[in-house]
Amino acid sequence: MNTPVIIGNATLYLGDCREILPTLPKVDAVITDPPYGLGIDGQKESMRRDGSQLRKHHEKLGWDGAIPDGELMQAVLAAGTQQIVWGGNYFSDDLPSSRGWLVWFKGQTGLTMSDGELAWTSLSIPLRVKNLHRTHLWQESPEHPTQKPTELMIWCLSFVPDAQTILDPFMGSGTTGVAAMNLQRSFIGIEREPKYFDIACRRIDDAQRQGRLIA
Ligand SMILES: C[S@@+](CC[C@H](N)C(=O)[O-])C[C@H]1O[C@@H](n2cnc3c(N)ncnc32)[C@H](O)[C@@H]1O
């Protein structure tokens, strides 16, 4: 196992969460966005009508070929006292029933793409909806093909206000960590792809620097 990269109050592991999770202490909350098994990890570049870039090219790395199996999902849930799992509708065989679902409504209906995304939570809260237009992400110049908006992950963290340490075992470009840094929480992240791990390190470092500047 690689030695983790420590950036302030973030501890970031490059590696497979199946190997790293058993070595970690239990955290306050797992907030994560595992592969949905849709095979959309590659992406072609696309342009706007004015010639500017809409989406970057992302090489196909194969990480979205399958969902985590039941054993891995149990290890992910056991890693924290509370849990929020994006794409919960893809993992319904391995998640207990819950009233506390979160909905990200992407502000448009009836397109070929989905109107929104669902997060399963272990929380005893009423179902909540975040209305955040799908184009909002463009302001962040996304560097991962399934990157979540930082504002969405900050909203998630508002449902676990007492959770001091947040774990994301499928960190991608590190958006959960960026949100945690914005709210002065501690963060542990795991990512298997070196390309996305490096992006996550940079984004989390930037978020900490900005926090220090504002302070
Ligand atoms: C849906 S993406 C997460 C995107 C993230 N929410 C973001 O905003 O960038 C899932 C990530 O999990 C990573 N991954 C898949 N299987 C993994 C494993 N067993 N251990 C660690 N990372 C894994 C993939 O490489 C991918 O970057």
Side-chain angles (χ1 to χ4, degrees):
M1 189 175 69
N2 291 328
T3 311
V5 173
I6 313 258
I7 305 172
N9 53 354
T11 304
L12 308 178
Y13 291 87
L14 170 62
D16 193 317
C17 65
R18 284 172 291 206
E19 289 160 21
I20 297 165
L21 280 172
T23 71
L24 299 179
K26 190 162 183 162
V27 299
D28 300 320
V30 175
I31 301 184
T32 194
D33 181 27
Y36 300 173
L38 300 175
I40 55 164
D41 52 303
Q43 188 174 276
K44 284 187 189 154
E45 182 183 42
S46 59
M47 311 302 275
R48 295 192 186 88
R49 283 193 187 153
D50 66 5
S52 62
Q53 190 185 53
L54 175 60
R55 288 200 186 87
K56 288 183 183 166
H57 165 77
H58 293 285
E59 67 206 287
K60 193 159 184 68
L61 296 171
W63 57 261
D64 198 30
I67 61 170
D69 61 24
E71 192 182 338
L72 177 53
M73 191 54 78
Q74 289 320 306
V76 167
L77 298 183
T81 307
Q82 299 173 300
Q83 306 93 12
I84 299 177
V85 181
W86 280 99
N89 46 323
Y90 295 100
F91 318 124
S92 49
D93 285 350
D94 296 310
L95 294 172
S97 66
S98 169
R99 65 191 281 255
W101 287 72
L102 303 181
V103 180
W104 170 24
F105 173 53
K106 296 185 177 177
Q108 288 170 316
T109 56
L111 304 178
T112 49
M113 296 167 282
S114 66
D115 298 347
E117 293 191 29
L118 299 176
W120 173 92
T121 84
S122 63
L123 310 172
S124 181
I125 54 169
L127 180 147
R128 297 292 185 207
V129 179
K130 176 78 173 172
N131 191 347
L132 190 65
H133 200 276
R134 64 178 86 242
T135 56
H136 182 88
L137 186 63
W138 299 351
Q139 296 166 19
E140 297 189 46
S141 304
E143 298 182 77
H144 188 289
T146 64
Q147 188 168 323
K148 290 278 184 287
T150 303
E151 188 177 330
L152 181 76
M153 301 314 290
I154 289 176
W155 178 67
C156 286
L157 280 161
S158 73
F159 294 101
V160 289
D162 298 327
Q164 279 312 310
T165 303
I166 311 294
L167 166 68
D168 186 349
F170 300 97
M171 173 169 69
S173 62
T175 313
T176 311
V178 172
M181 296 305 104
N182 272 266
L183 298 175
Q184 279 84 46
R185 315 271 186 99
S186 297
F187 178 71
I188 302 173
I190 309 171
E191 170 57 44
R192 202 170 51 181
E193 296 294 342
K195 173 180 168 182
Y196 297 129
F197 180 80
D198 290 346
I199 291 170
C201 290
R202 177 173 38 77
R203 291 183 72 215
I204 288 167
D205 192 23
D206 286 350
Q208 291 198 10
R209 284 173 201 273
Q210 278 169 20
R212 279 196 294 272
L213 275 178
I214 291 165

